[in-house]
Amino acid sequence: ETGVTQTPRHLVMGMTNKKSLKCEQHLGHNAMYWYKQSAKKPLELMFVYSLEERVENNSVPSRFSPECPNSSHLFLHLHTLQPEDSALYLCASSPPGAGANVLTFGAGSRLTVL
Amino acid sequence: SQQGEEDPQALSIQEGENATMNCSYKTSINNLQWYRQNSGRGLVHLILIRSNEREKHSGRLRVTLDTSKKSSSLLITASRAADTASYFCATDDDYKLSFGAGTTVTVRA
């Protein structure tokens, strides 16, 4: 295990459902990220939190709502999703300082929207 | 944000052979990183090369960086079946990393 835990690993939801993805790290990292990975496409950075403050919101539709209650936990709240939102959602974290962002990823949450 | 772009998209080699993949990017960077992803899993950091470095080694991995051509290469020597995975380069843009679509490497036994 990497030290970054994502739950659930698999999620199937209808377009009208509301669900949440959870990410947890106890590595002492102070930045956390959500990436979306679709087949054959570059990873898409969705959100970045540094010291619990959102520093990046990469033009993500409002049906995705992040929450970072503390530096160890990150959520992605999902509502009224579309089938094209089906993807692997990856959470990552990185340590403070050092001048380089080396990311530690979780195993991902595979989301299927019906 | 800029993204690294890996080439080729897919690569199939025999066990024991070397695998080489390339990454090109558009603007100046502080560093470039390579990650590996096994099927359906998260990415794992392999190696980081800084902009003032030209070559770096880690076990069977060799990374080169040519900032004048804005390109990097990853060489895996003496490949093994366990090296079957997707490989991504990532460019460091301040507080975030930008990834390409990756090179899928299949090592045949």
Side-chain angles (χ1 to χ4, degrees), chain A residues 65-83:
Chain A
S65 175
E67 179 190 0
C68 187
N70 55 61
S71 59
S72 298
H73 294 86
L74 184 66
F75 295 88
L76 188 62
H77 303 300
L78 317 169
H79 63 97
T80 324
L81 293 192
Q82 305 297 313

Side-chain angles (χ1 to χ4, degrees), chain A residues 35 37 42 56 101 103 105-106, chain B residues 33 35 37 42 92 94-95 97:
Chain A
Y35 282 88
Q37 185 177 33
E56 178 83 11
N101 296 314
L103 301 188
F105 282 84
Chain B
Q33 302 178 39
Y35 287 76
Q37 183 180 34
D92 199 326
D94 288 334
Y95 55 84
L97 290 187

Side-chain angles (χ1 to χ4, degrees), chain A residues 1-2 9 33 35 37 40-43 45 48 55-56 58 88 90 94 98-108 110, chain B residues 1 3-4 9 30-31 33 35 37 40-45 48 50 88 92-102 104:
Chain A
E1 295 301 324
T2 65
R9 292 293 316 280
Y33 310 74
Y35 282 88
Q37 185 177 33
K40 308 297 183 190
K41 290 185 179 180
L43 270 71
L45 178 63
V48 180
V55 295
E56 178 83 11
N58 222 10
L88 183 67
L90 293 164
S94 65
N101 296 314
V102 175
L103 301 188
T104 301
F105 282 84
R110 172 70 62 186
Chain B
S1 64
Q3 295 170 341
Q9 288 188 1
N30 296 321
N31 63 72
Q33 302 178 39
Y35 287 76
Q37 183 180 34
R41 308 287 295 183
L43 281 72
V44 175
H45 177 256
L48 179 151
R50 299 191 185 276
F88 297 82
D92 199 326
D93 180 10
D94 288 334
Y95 55 84
K96 60 189 180 185
L97 290 187
S98 297
F99 292 82
T104 299

Side-chain angles (χ1 to χ4, degrees), chain B residues 53-70:
Chain B
E53 296 175 309
R54 291 296 166 259
E55 188 170 311
K56 202 159 182 182
H57 296 253
S58 177
R60 294 182 296 111
L61 304 180
R62 174 179 163 245
V63 169
T64 63
L65 179 64
D66 186 335
T67 53
S68 66
K69 294 181 180 178
K70 293 188 172 56

Side-chain angles (χ1 to χ4, degrees), chain A residues 7-21 78 81-83 85-87 89 109-114:
Chain A
T7 54
R9 292 293 316 280
H10 299 274
L11 178 63
V12 179
M13 58 188 289
M15 292 167 61
T16 58
N17 291 159
K18 285 186 181 181
K19 297 285 184 184
S20 295
L21 305 181
L78 317 169
L81 293 192
Q82 305 297 313
D85 297 323
S86 298
Y89 288 85
S109 293
R110 172 70 62 186
L111 173 67
T112 303
V113 181
L114 301 176

Side-chain angles (χ1 to χ4, degrees), chain A residues 15-33:
Chain A
M15 292 167 61
T16 58
N17 291 159
K18 285 186 181 181
K19 297 285 184 184
S20 295
L21 305 181
K22 179 183 176 182
C23 177
E24 185 172 355
Q25 60 89 11
H26 296 288
L27 300 170
H29 292 177
N30 69 341
M32 298 187 77
Y33 310 74

